[in-house]
Structures are given as C-alpha cells and as structure tokens.
Amino acid sequence: PASRLHSFLLFIFAVHTSCSFTMYFPQITANKSYSCEGLGLREVPEKLPVTTEILDFSFNMLPSLQNSTFCELKSLLYLDLTRCQINWVYDGAFHSNRQLKTIVLTGNLLLFLSDTAFAGPRSLKQLDLTQTGITSISFIPMTNLHSLDTLILGSNHISSLQLPPNFPTQNLKYLDFQMNNIRAVTAEDVHVLQKTSNITLIFKGNNFIYIEPGALQSHFYSLDFGGCTDIPGVLTGIRNSTAQILWLGTFHGVEKEPYISPNVLQGLCNTSVKDLYLQLRHFRNLNADTFQCLTRLRKLDLTQTHISALPPGISGMSSLVELVLNANSFEHLCNISSAAFPSLTHLHIKGNLQVLQLGSGCLQKLAKLQHLDLSKSHIESFDCCNEALSGLSSLQYLNLSYNTKLHLQDVLIKDSPNLELLDLASTPLHINASQGPFRNLHLLQVLNLSSSHINTSMQHLFQGLENLMLLDLSQNNFESGIMPKDKLFQQLSNLEVLILSSCELTAVGGKAFHSLRKLRHVDLSHNKLIAFSTDAFSNLKSIYLNCAHNRIRIVPREKLASLAGHCRINLSYNPLDCTCSNIGLITWYKQNLDKIEDSEGTRCSEPKSLAGAQLATISLSCGINTAGIIAVVLAILSCGAIFISGARYFKRNYQQI
Ligand SMILES: *[C@@H]1O[C@H](CO)[C@@H](O)[C@H](O)[C@H]1NC(C)=O
Ligand SMILES: *[C@@H]1O[C@H](CO)[C@@H](O)[C@H](O)[C@H]1NC(C)=O
Ligand SMILES: *[C@@H]1O[C@H](CO)[C@@H](O)[C@H](O)[C@H]1NC(C)=O
Ligand SMILES: *[C@@H]1O[C@H](CO)[C@@H](O)[C@H](O)[C@H]1NC(C)=O
Ligand SMILES: *[C@@H]1O[C@H](CO)[C@@H](O)[C@H](O)[C@H]1NC(C)=O
Ligand SMILES: *[C@@H]1O[C@H](CO)[C@@H](O)[C@H](O)[C@H]1NC(C)=O
Ligand SMILES: *[C@@H]1O[C@H](CO)[C@@H](O)[C@H](O)[C@H]1NC(C)=O
Ligand SMILES: *[C@@H]1O[C@H](CO)[C@@H](O)[C@H](O)[C@H]1NC(C)=O
Ligand SMILES: *[C@@H]1O[C@H](CO)[C@@H](O)[C@H](O)[C@H]1NC(C)=O
Ligand SMILES: *[C@@H]1O[C@H](CO)[C@@H](O)[C@H](O)[C@H]1NC(C)=O
Ligand SMILES: *[C@@H]1O[C@H](CO)[C@@H](O)[C@H](O)[C@H]1NC(C)=O
C-alpha cells in the first residue's frame, strides 16, 4: 500500500508538472483533479466543482477543519492537506466526503482531533499523520477507521505503543512508526497486531531498550528495525514470527556502535525470515558461526558492512539466491567464498571500496548465476574475463561499468553465451583481438559501451551480435569524426536503438546505417554535424531521429520529403538559418509540427533580426524578384564552385583512405 500511495503521489506530481494553469487554481484532469498547492488560501474555493476527486490543497492556511470545510466536495477520493497549519479537526470534518480514501495531514501540529473527526468516508484506506506532534496513540480517534490499510505515524513523539483493542487491524497492511521515541514494547501493547497478517511494520529510528520476548508475534510481510542497537532484543521480541523481509541495517550518523558479533544473530534461528538486510552494521570477528542461523534466507544484504572477506567454511546456505555485498572492501573476488552459496542467481559487488582483483575461477561454482554486478569496483584486468568469470553458464546480466580498465585479448566471456545485457559504460576497454570480442554472445540484446574509449575502427567489433537491439556508443570517438560506411554495423540486423550522442561526429557517411533495417531510434545529439542526413538510413518508417545540439544550418527539402508516417525529429539547438535559402525546411516544419520534438528549443540563429525566434513562429515571403534572380544565379554559380572544389577535396581524401 505504501508503494501504491507513493506511486499515486508520483502520478499526481507528474501530471501536475505538465498541467495547464487555466483557472486561478490549476485543473489537472478535467473536473476531477485540482492542485491549489501553496496559493495561500484560507478556504476551499467555491469554484471547485462537485466532481473533484483529487485535491492537492497543501501549503495553504486552514487552522481548523469544520464540518462545512469540504462539504461541497462530495466526490473527493484523495485529499492532501500537507502543512496547512491545521490545529483543530472538529466533528464530522469529512462527513460529506463519503468516497474519501486518502487523507494526508503531514506537517500540521494537531492539537485537537474530535472523536468523529474521521467519520463520514465509507472506506477510508490511507491516513497519513506524519509530523503532526502526536504523543500517544490514544489521541487518534478510532471511529470509522476499520477500512484503513495504511496508517503513517512517522516523525512524532510517541513514546509508548499501547495499541487500543479497537485498533483497526482488519485491513491493515502498512503501519509506520518511524522516528518516534518508542523505547519499550510489551506483549500487551501490541497484542492486537496478532490479528494482522502480511503487514509491513516500520520501527526504524526508534531506540528500543526493551521488547518483551515474543511480543511481536505474527506473520509479517516486512519488519523494519533500522538503526536500533539491541539486535538480540529485537530478535527475541519477534521470535516465532515469520517475515518476508527483516530490516536490521542502520544509517550514517547513528551514534551507538552498530557492531555485530557472531552470537548477535542467533535469535534468527527462532524466526522464519526470507530477506535480511544489515546495511552499515559493523561485523566483528566474522566467522562461519555468524551464518549459523541464516541458512533459510533467500536474500542477504550486507551492503557496506565493513567486510573484506566472507569466511571459508560457511555451510548450509543453499537457499540463498541473492547476495548483496556492495560497498565493502574485498581485495580479491575469491574472498567472497562463493562456493558456499551454490544456488545464487543474483550477486552484487558494486562500489567495492578498493581495487577488486578478479583472480581466476573465483565464481565458477555459481552455475545458476544470472545477474552479476561488478560495477564501480576499481577493476583493472589485463586479460578480461575468460578465466576470471569462468563457469557462469547461466549468466544473463553482466555489469562491469565504471571500472578502471579492461584489456580483452580474445572474447570477453567465453562460458556465458546466454548473456542478454552487457554494461561496459565508462570502463576504458583495450581490445587486442583479431576477431570480435563479443562474437560468442549471440543472444545479447543490450550493449552499453558509452564512454569506453573503444576503438571504433575495428571492423569486426560487433561481429556475432545478430540479436542486439540496443547499442549505446555515446562519448566515443570515430576516426576523423566521420561515421564510416556500413562495415561496422553490418551484422546488427536486429538493432532498434542506436545512441551516438557526444561522439564528436562531423559527418555521417552515406548509407552508414543501411544494414540496420529495424532501426527506429537514433540519437545523434551533441555532435558537430553540419548536414541533416536521411540517406544514411535504409528504413525511415517511424524513425526517431535526435539531431539536437549540432551545427545544422540548412536542411534541403528533399531530405525531409522521405520523413513520412510516424517519424519524429529533434532539431533543437542547431544554428538554423531562417532566410529564404532554408525555405524548404521552414515550410516543411510548419506543415509537420506533429513530427517535431522540442519546438520550443528549435530556433533561428540567422538572420540577426530573427535570432532566437522559434522556427514555428516565423513567416517568410520568398517570392522571386530581380534581386532574387541575381541571388539565385549567384548561388548556383557558387554552388558549382563549391561542388567542384568539394569533389576535388573528397577525391583527394578518398585516395588517402
Ligand atoms: C466540467 O464542468 C463544467 C462546469 O462545471 C461543465 O460545463 C463541463 O461539461 C464539465 N466537463 C466534464 C468533462 O465533465
Ligand atoms: C455542523 O456543525 C454545526 C456546529 O458546529 C452544527 O450546528 C451542524 O448541525 C453541523 N452540520 C452537520 C451537517 O453535521
Ligand atoms: C503481502 O504484502 C505485500 C506487500 O504489501 C504484497 O506485495 C503481497 O502480495 C502480499 N502477499 C499476500 C500473500 O497477500
Ligand atoms: C514458539 O513455537 C514453538 C513451537 O512452534 C513453541 O514450542 C514455543 O512455545 C513458542 N514460543 C513462544 C514464545 O511462543
Ligand atoms: C529459541 O526459542 C527457545 C524457546 O522457544 C529458547 O529456549 C531458545 O533459547 C531460543 N533460542 C535463541 C537463540 O533465542
Ligand atoms: C583473499 O583472497 C586471496 C586470494 O585467494 C588471498 O590471498 C587472501 O589472503 C584473501 N584475503 C582475505 C582477507 O581472506
Ligand atoms: C550498471 O551499473 C551502473 C553503476 O552502478 C548503474 O548506474 C547502471 O544502471 C547499471 N546498468 C544497468 C544496465 O543496470
Ligand atoms: C549507458 O551507460 C551510461 C552511463 O552509465 C548511461 O548514462 C546510459 O543511460 C546508458 N545507456 C542506456 C541506453 O541505458
Ligand atoms: C596482443 O596479442 C598478441 C597476440 O595474441 C600478444 O603477443 C601481445 O602481447 C598482445 N598485446 C598486449 C598489449 O597485450
Ligand atoms: C584501432 O583499430 C585499427 C584497426 O584494427 C588499428 O589499425 C588501430 O591501430 C587501432 N587504434 C588503436 C589506438 O589501437
Ligand atoms: C531534444 O533533444 C535535446 C538534446 O538531446 C533534449 O534535451 C530534449 O529533451 C529533446 N526534446 C525532447 C522533447 O525530448
């Protein structure tokens, strides 16, 4: 429910940012969704129609909510009252809002909540009381909360839980007590929670001193005790419970020593947990005993736990499918004792804090591994990665991006022909192979070589990649700044997305992309292209072509004629000529605004009088008069001259190749 609430908020945000501000309060969706955020309002505007379903009324001023405040908005589903300086919520404040599902009261210092404050809505599902100054649960009237699935009470001053017998447990899925002052929990306090199942319970940022053994006994979905110091206390508190997810990590800036010694996790033997998170804890004397009660885990997250090795001799971890070891200090890939985790499908060793040596065959027991993330780990390898990553026959995802340097002597990874995604972005690659280094990766769909300093003059670079759909070559250079003809991409018959932004390209060879028959998205932005070329493509049907941030001045009409159907082009931030010499583009542009992306940024740079004007707004009359004829004749003559000299130039250059 929390994530639903969250995506709901995101949705509102997304729509909001693109809404048109027609009335004095903006309407988001016709007669249904309105935002009056931060308008300094002291009452709900009468103009809001009775059909309003979603109302963002945050950051206004409503010191008290009366039974008349929202009485007209009978269709309301969602009401956001964040930071409206609300202190008093009187009887029946929402009595007319029968459909209301969500009330957000975040950041209002509530002094009074009437017993019938929440009466009215037929099935109120979400109540957000974050930062409302609440000191006790008894302050919240329980009347009419039976449908609640989400109750958020974070960042208050609650010191004692004492959930009343009529606490709404029937539909409760998400209960958030983060950042309160709860120090003790007795079985009686939380007895009602035994009636819940699959609930998410958040206690992070409370410093428990005492939890009665077995007090929290239920079938939880997720339990979050982030930042608490007494882990053994927590584990006896939840003994005999089941939880899909148990969060025992901590945060930066938590004062108490978050050390974990081997016996600290013993209590896990008496609970049934699937996914365990221990971020930022500090392991002391990490040894095989530490894992004694972790044998039933499905996922273990040890992000930034200050470990440099997992001990040899760990046993019984055959249920573990996902292991997260990010931001630790392994010296050597063999130091993770991978043989102890034979069922792993996902392994993350991202952001290792020191140079990670790959060694040889350190992961070769992981025949089921599908997903391997070794990004940002200072890896430098002189013969990558056949020996180092041998045996990974199920591998589908490999991320080696943001490393120091990789030398490839032959194929990159011999044993993993099932690879579907390979990310080598921002890792300098040095290839010393006579054949394509990816030639065995026939199933590869995504290849990111952005900023990898790859030698694009190697003709066999993309040999064998007949299933590749996305290729990112951004921020790499091409010889003399020219995208060569055909050869390089010859085998990529399934390529759909090609990214060549920021490659310092000055020209694209004719027919350069002719073998890419399925190409539908090409990004050539941030280059130095002078010409807008459509000849380079064999298939212009529904192509997306981004040529933004180049040096294109003039586009001849015949280059545009072939852009039919569902094509879209982005020509923003080019120094476009808005004189009659570019009338071809200008007339086509106005007739095809539906094909233009970012018309806001598509502006003239010439002549001076029109500099900065949007292309869509200008009108030129380019009738032929005497001066025009002279100009045309001159133009033809000079074109001829340019053509001849250009031909000579090309000939000379061509002979050099
Ligand atoms: C929105 O409300 C106005 C007046 O309140 C009405 O004229 C219009 O038809 C409504 N539009 C929709 C889409 O319901
Ligand atoms: C609203 O509250 C006033 C007193 O505050 C009361 O007289 C009135 O009957 C209430 N209206 C409804 C519909 O409950
Ligand atoms: C348990 O809750 C989680 C998160 O709310 C949800 O994704 C999952 O489907 C629920 N499982 C069952 C069996 O209801
Ligand atoms: C936990 O469960 C076991 C067996 O299921 C039972 O013997 C034991 O009494 C329970 N402990 C508590 C504290 O409920
Ligand atoms: C597990 O629970 C039993 C009783 O149910 C108890 O005797 C034992 O000490 C507990 N073990 C741990 C490690 O807490
Ligand atoms: C890490 O592995 C290397 C190579 O197997 C070994 O030499 C080294 O002692 C290990 N380091 C630790 C801390 O276990
Ligand atoms: C690879 O790792 C980098 C850095 O951790 C990350 O930004 C990127 O999204 C990852 N690539 C993919 C395809 O997931
Ligand atoms: C390739 O990697 C770079 C750097 O991580 C990233 O910005 C870019 O979005 C990636 N390309 C694709 C197509 O995901
Ligand atoms: C390149 O490969 C050749 C033959 O495979 C080898 O002799 C040479 O040392 C390699 N160069 C580098 C820089 O690794
Ligand atoms: C790039 O590859 C080409 C063709 O294989 C080769 O001639 C050239 O020397 C290479 N450039 C670098 C910098 O390795
Ligand atoms: C057009 O391309 C530029 C540069 O890549 C980009 O900033 C802009 O967002 C694009 N326009 C749209 C509407 O995507």
Side-chain angles (χ1 to χ4, degrees):
S3 64
R4 220 183 305 141
L5 183 63
H6 189 209
S7 51
F8 194 41
L9 291 171
L10 275 179
F11 162 70
I12 293 206
F13 176 74
V15 194
H16 183 188
T17 50
S18 65
C19 68
S20 59
F21 294 75
T22 47
M23 296 187 230
Y24 97 99
F25 46 85
Q27 182 173 162
I28 293 170
T29 320
N31 298 358
K32 289 203 167 158
S33 174
Y34 291 86
S35 172
C36 303
E37 186 198 331
L39 296 178
L41 302 177
R42 290 173 173 273
E43 57 179 30
V44 177
E46 279 170 17
K47 275 199 204 167
L48 284 174
V50 68
T51 52
T52 305
E53 292 180 358
I54 295 169
L55 178 59
D56 178 354
F57 202 76
S58 57
F59 297 91
N60 286 298
M61 255 171 291
L62 285 178
S64 64
L65 303 184
Q66 323 270 358
N67 63 13
S68 54
T69 311
F70 302 107
C71 64
E72 300 302 327
L73 301 175
K74 298 203 179 349
S75 310
L76 217 49
L77 294 174
Y78 176 96
L79 179 59
D80 186 347
L81 294 169
T82 298
R83 295 194 203 285
C84 280
Q85 304 179 26
I86 300 166
N87 301 130
W88 314 90
V89 182
Y90 291 111
D91 281 353
F94 305 104
H95 77 102
S96 316
N97 315 108
R98 308 276 289 159
Q99 313 293 332
L100 198 58
K101 298 273 187 275
T102 304
I103 304 175
V104 181
L105 282 164
T106 299
N108 293 286
L109 185 61
L110 299 177
L111 301 176
F112 173 70
L113 278 178
S114 140
D115 275 350
T116 57
F118 301 119
R122 261 197 294 253
S123 68
L124 190 63
K125 295 220 174 296
Q126 282 136 11
L127 183 57
D128 188 343
L129 294 168
T130 304
Q131 271 189 38
T132 46
I134 293 178
T135 55
S136 159
I137 307 289
S138 60
F139 181 77
I140 307 165
M142 296 297 158
T143 314
N144 201 35
L145 296 185
H146 54 273
S147 298
L148 221 52
D149 65 36
T150 301
L151 178 58
I152 306 180
L153 290 164
S155 301
N156 283 302
H157 310 291
I158 300 167
S159 53
S160 159
L161 263 181
Q162 289 181 322
L163 303 180
N166 60 346
F167 192 73
T169 49
Q170 298 92 310
N171 296 295
L172 203 61
K173 289 287 165 233
Y174 191 92
L175 182 55
D176 185 347
F177 288 107
Q178 66 177 289
M179 306 298 194
N180 276 284
N181 299 327
I182 306 166
R183 316 206 75 187
V185 179
T186 66
E188 206 186 325
D189 284 350
V190 290
H191 184 73
V192 291
L193 291 183
Q194 289 188 9
K195 286 191 262 171
T196 63
S197 77
N198 200 37
I199 187 186
T200 293
L201 186 53
I202 302 187
F203 282 124
K204 77 173 165 213
N206 287 282
N207 203 357
F208 293 104
I209 298 171
Y210 175 72
I211 302 181
E212 190 175 334
L216 286 159
Q217 212 177 102
S218 188
H219 296 288
F220 297 100
Y221 174 68
S222 174
L223 271 171
D224 186 342
F225 288 94
C228 73
T229 22
D230 181 13
I231 292 179
V234 166
L235 294 179
T236 43
I238 63 169
R239 79 175 178 212
N240 277 16
S241 288
T242 67
Q244 286 293 313
I245 299 170
L246 177 59
W247 224 93
L248 292 175
T250 185
F251 316 100
H252 287 290
V254 173
E255 291 152 42
K256 300 277 170 49
E257 259 191 7
Y259 278 106
I260 296 211
S261 52
N263 56 355
V264 162
L265 299 174
Q266 291 293 306
L268 278 168
C269 278
N270 279 351
T271 61
S272 161
V273 169
K274 289 272 175 275
D275 301 354
L276 178 64
Y277 292 77
L278 291 165
Q279 270 99 324
L280 280 160
R281 296 286 175 185
H282 217 128
F283 277 98
R284 182 182 271 163
N285 312 325
L286 185 64
N287 60 32
D289 288 347
T290 314
F291 290 81
Q292 208 181 338
C293 292
L294 307 185
T295 51
R296 284 171 296 167
L297 291 183
R298 194 198 69 88
K299 172 174 178 175
L300 175 60
D301 189 326
L302 297 172
T303 297
Q304 208 170 348
T305 43
H306 310 88
I307 47 182
S308 55
L310 290 181
I314 301 172
S315 62
M317 296 292 290
S318 54
S319 299
L320 200 73
V321 296
E322 183 161 6
L323 179 59
V324 184
L325 296 170
N326 298 340
N328 284 298
S329 307
F330 298 103
E331 173 202 333
H332 200 282
L333 195 52
C334 280
N335 296 143
I336 70 160
S337 303
S338 67
F341 313 102
S343 307
L344 277 194
T345 60
H346 289 65
L347 175 61
H348 313 257
I349 312 178
K350 168 164 101 176
N352 198 54
L353 299 174
Q354 59 165 314
V355 174
L356 179 67
Q357 292 175 45
L358 292 180
S360 174
C362 298
L363 305 180
Q364 69 184 359
K365 294 276 163 59
L366 303 182
K368 294 183 180 162
L369 198 69
Q370 296 170 10
H371 183 113
L372 177 59
D373 187 350
L374 292 169
S375 62
K376 297 192 172 166
S377 289
H378 307 279
I379 296 169
E380 176 157 20
S381 165
F382 290 94
D383 187 3
C384 191
C385 297
N386 278 328
E387 295 297 317
L389 302 180
S390 63
L392 302 179
S393 52
S394 304
L395 203 62
Q396 293 171 4
Y397 170 108
L398 175 60
N399 196 339
L400 278 165
S401 66
Y402 296 92
N403 279 300
T404 309
K405 188 163 195 165
L406 302 180
H407 292 257
L408 317 185
Q409 306 290 357
D410 187 23
V411 292
L412 173 79
I413 181 161
K414 178 175 80 232
D415 291 348
S416 308
N418 297 316
L419 209 59
E420 291 173 8
L421 183 147
L422 176 59
D423 192 343
L424 291 163
S426 289
T427 297
L429 297 179
H430 192 275
I431 298 170
N432 178 24
S434 52
Q435 286 179 288
F438 314 114
R439 64 181 184 277
N440 60 327
L441 304 180
H442 300 294
L443 301 180
L444 199 67
Q445 294 180 13
V446 177
L447 176 58
N448 196 337
L449 291 171
S450 171
S451 199
S452 63
H453 306 280
I454 197 142
N455 183 349
T456 50
S457 302
M458 285 187 61
Q459 288 193 353
H460 306 293
L461 193 54
F462 302 123
Q463 187 185 349
L465 298 179
E466 62 264 8
N467 278 306
L468 199 66
M469 290 162 70
L470 185 153
L471 176 60
D472 190 338
L473 274 172
S474 58
Q475 300 186 62
N476 287 290
N477 291 348
F478 289 83
E479 209 180 324
S480 3
I482 296 173
M483 169 57 61
K485 274 185 232 164
D486 233 357
K487 277 277 165 33
L488 185 61
F489 300 129
Q490 209 157 34
Q491 300 201 3
L492 303 179
S493 50
N494 277 304
L495 199 70
E496 296 182 8
V497 179
L498 177 60
I499 302 184
L500 288 165
S501 55
S502 306
C503 289
E504 308 263 326
L505 287 171
T506 55
V508 172
K511 308 201 172 180
F513 310 117
H514 257 230
S515 41
L516 308 180
R517 296 187 189 286
K518 295 201 177 157
L519 204 56
R520 55 175 179 80
H521 180 118
V522 187
D523 188 348
L524 284 162
S525 64
H526 295 273
N527 281 298
K528 298 174 176 168
L529 299 175
I530 295 164
F532 176 81
S533 169
T534 46
D535 308 338
F537 306 96
S538 55
N539 180 4
L540 285 168
K541 219 187 292 158
S542 9
I543 205 162
Y544 167 83
L545 199 50
N546 190 343
C547 291
H549 294 276
N550 275 286
R551 298 181 179 170
I552 300 166
R553 306 176 66 85
I554 291 183
V555 183
R557 172 110 203 182
E558 65 271 18
K559 302 277 181 207
L560 298 163
S562 44
L563 289 172
H566 299 290
C567 299
R568 285 185 71 73
I569 60 172
N570 187 339
L571 276 172
S572 59
Y573 307 98
N574 279 287
L576 295 172
D577 192 325
C578 293
T579 63
C580 286
S581 38
N582 205 12
I583 190 73
L585 172 66
I586 294 165
T587 36
W588 182 86
Y589 189 90
K590 290 187 173 183
Q591 289 157 1
N592 292 279
L593 280 174
D594 57 317
K595 299 192 174 62
I596 305 298
E597 195 175 69
D598 202 0
S599 56
E600 180 80 4
T602 312
R603 293 167 185 263
C604 306
S605 75
E606 288 284 325
K608 283 280 174 297
S609 59
L610 285 175
Q614 286 184 27
L615 209 63
T617 64
I618 62 159
S619 53
L620 288 184
S621 57
C622 298
I624 296 195
N625 51 25
T626 336
I629 292 169
I630 294 171
V632 168
V633 170
L634 282 176
I636 291 171
L637 288 177
S638 55
C639 279
I642 290 168
F643 179 75
I644 291 164
S645 57
R648 281 207 193 120
Y649 172 79
F650 255 99
K651 203 170 163 197
R652 203 168 343 111
N653 272 297
Y654 216 80
Q655 280 160 352
Q656 276 170 9
I657 296 176

